[in-house]
Amino acid sequence: MTRRLVPVGLRAVALIFPALALACSGREEEPAPPAPAARAEAPVETKEYPLAGEVRGVDAEEAELRIRHEEIPGFMPAMTMPFQMPEGTDFSEFHLGDYVEGTLRVRSRGGVTEGYDLVGLEVVKPAIKPLVLEMTPEGPKLVEPSNRLRPGDQVPDFTMIQQDVTSRKLSELRGNVVVLTFIYTRCPLPEFCPMMDRKFNELSQSVAANPARAGKVRLVSLSFDPDHDTPEVLSKHAAIRGAKPPLWTYATASHDDLAAIAPALGLTFGPRKNEIVHNLCTAVIGPDGRLARLDVGTKANAWTASDMLRTISEALASGGD
């Protein structure tokens, strides 16, 4: 039986467009867009594309629905991407594994995409949902399992290639508090990867003010663009951003390692021809390798250096116990 959801003009955050909130784009091969004045005078054009895919993540706290959608001929390849849902969305209507169909209405002006809405979304094939028993403040409750780590969980090990070309496993940083964020160097939007660079710069200066503490803290900016972000590229980028190893290091990881660590930390990303669509993620890992804090989505770029410094100090004081 089809479970129909009320169409609510599901306005998605346009990850695939550089003008909107959850996408970052490398544009070296793209033609120059029309002049702003000419574009402003052009009429808005709307095209509709059928969208179909499987629900891969439901995050009511971040108001996101992640869909692994099929190829949309003439518009975008198959990929998994999060859609920001409007206030008031009933997330209990969505379940992992549900197969959904809807219409993607894409708006453009003067040949430049301005945004899109996901409308008429229907669950056409409900998933058979495996449930696990979880203890809650209200007592035992059957809930859908989640792949995302929680504070206290062991963070999976992976290998990173650092800006100095050396290889290092995350586990080799045990004994330190590790603050890990994800970026890629070609990201042009100031409120995304460049903002994380600025935040890590400020945080590194705050940590370095106490040499004893600095010796027990490692900041890692991990690129999810290993094909472009080679150690040479990362080294130059680090110099520009003011990163000084060993306190703050840029690194990257293989596609396989990224695929293993990303779901555990709530990171979603996917390459297109000239861009990488992604969300934001910052994790604090205690000296014992267990997760101390995880900020994903809007929270990942909302923290301040003083706020993060308190988390670091608490993790150091606990020693991971």
Side-chain angles (χ1 to χ4, degrees):
M1 173 178 283
T2 297
R3 184 167 76 246
R4 183 176 182 86
L5 305 183
V6 178
V8 290
L10 304 177
R11 180 180 179 81
V13 172
L15 296 182
I16 59 173
F17 306 123
L20 297 180
L22 290 179
C24 298
S25 175
R27 307 180 184 176
E28 51 272 346
E29 298 179 4
E30 296 180 0
R39 189 166 66 246
E41 297 175 357
V44 175
E45 298 181 350
T46 301
K47 290 186 178 180
E48 295 189 350
Y49 301 89
L51 180 142
E54 179 183 336
V55 175
R56 301 294 293 176
V58 180
D59 192 336
E61 182 178 352
E62 294 294 333
E64 283 185 356
L65 178 65
R66 186 155 48 96
I67 300 175
R68 184 175 67 184
H69 64 75
E70 300 173 1
E71 178 184 3
I72 304 177
F75 184 60
M76 123 172 58
M79 67 172 67
T80 300
M81 58 185 290
F83 292 85
Q84 191 75 27
M85 308 301 283
E87 184 177 354
T89 296
D90 184 1
F91 284 89
S92 67
E93 295 289 340
F94 301 94
H95 302 87
L96 300 179
D98 284 349
Y99 191 84
V100 296
E101 292 182 354
T103 299
L104 202 62
R105 291 179 178 169
V106 181
R107 301 183 305 281
S108 62
R109 186 194 300 269
V112 176
T113 301
E114 293 189 338
Y116 64 74
D117 298 306
L118 180 60
V119 298
L121 195 69
E122 296 180 354
V123 176
V124 298
K125 186 179 179 181
I128 299 176
K129 299 176 285 297
L131 301 176
V132 295
L133 187 64
E134 181 177 286
M135 295 302 299
T136 70
E138 293 76 30
K141 183 179 180 182
L142 286 172
V143 299
E144 294 181 39
S146 172
N147 291 329
R148 185 179 297 185
L149 297 178
R150 298 180 181 181
D153 289 343
Q154 194 74 42
V155 178
D157 202 10
F158 66 94
T159 300
M160 65 186 86
I161 308 299
Q162 300 178 123
Q163 64 190 61
D164 63 359
V165 196
T166 60
S167 175
R168 170 171 285 181
K169 289 182 175 294
L170 177 66
S171 56
E172 294 179 47
L173 297 177
R174 293 279 175 87
N176 299 289
V177 171
V178 178
V179 185
L180 173 67
T181 198
F182 295 85
I183 56 89
Y184 80 114
T185 62
R186 294 182 290 173
C187 177
L189 296 183
E191 64 271 26
F192 288 90
C193 301
M195 174 179 283
M196 302 314 297
D197 286 340
R198 294 193 299 272
K199 284 180 174 289
F200 263 48
N201 178 284
E202 183 179 356
L203 180 59
S204 69
Q205 294 183 52
S206 297
V207 172
N210 183 331
R213 177 179 58 201
K216 300 177 182 179
V217 177
R218 296 292 180 263
L219 312 182
V220 178
S221 294
L222 191 70
S223 171
F224 42 74
D225 187 13
D227 297 328
H228 177 271
D229 288 344
T230 62
E232 180 181 6
V233 170
L234 291 174
S235 181
K236 293 179 180 178
H237 187 79
I240 294 172
R241 296 302 183 183
K244 298 179 180 179
L247 175 56
W248 179 15
T249 304
Y250 279 83
T252 190
S254 69
H255 291 292
D256 288 343
D257 277 332
L258 287 167
I261 190 68
L265 295 178
L267 175 71
T268 58
F269 68 97
R272 295 190 67 215
K273 181 179 179 181
N274 294 315
E275 64 183 329
I276 297 179
V277 296
H278 69 94
N279 65 350
L280 295 174
C281 170
T282 301
V284 180
I285 304 168
D288 60 353
R290 296 183 181 276
L291 186 68
R293 171 176 174 173
L294 181 61
D295 292 353
V296 179
T298 55
K299 291 183 177 180
N301 65 352
W303 56 265
T304 64
S306 58
D307 172 40
M308 192 61 72
L309 201 59
R310 282 193 296 271
T311 300
I312 292 172
S313 298
E314 291 169 359
L316 286 172
S318 68
D321 295 334

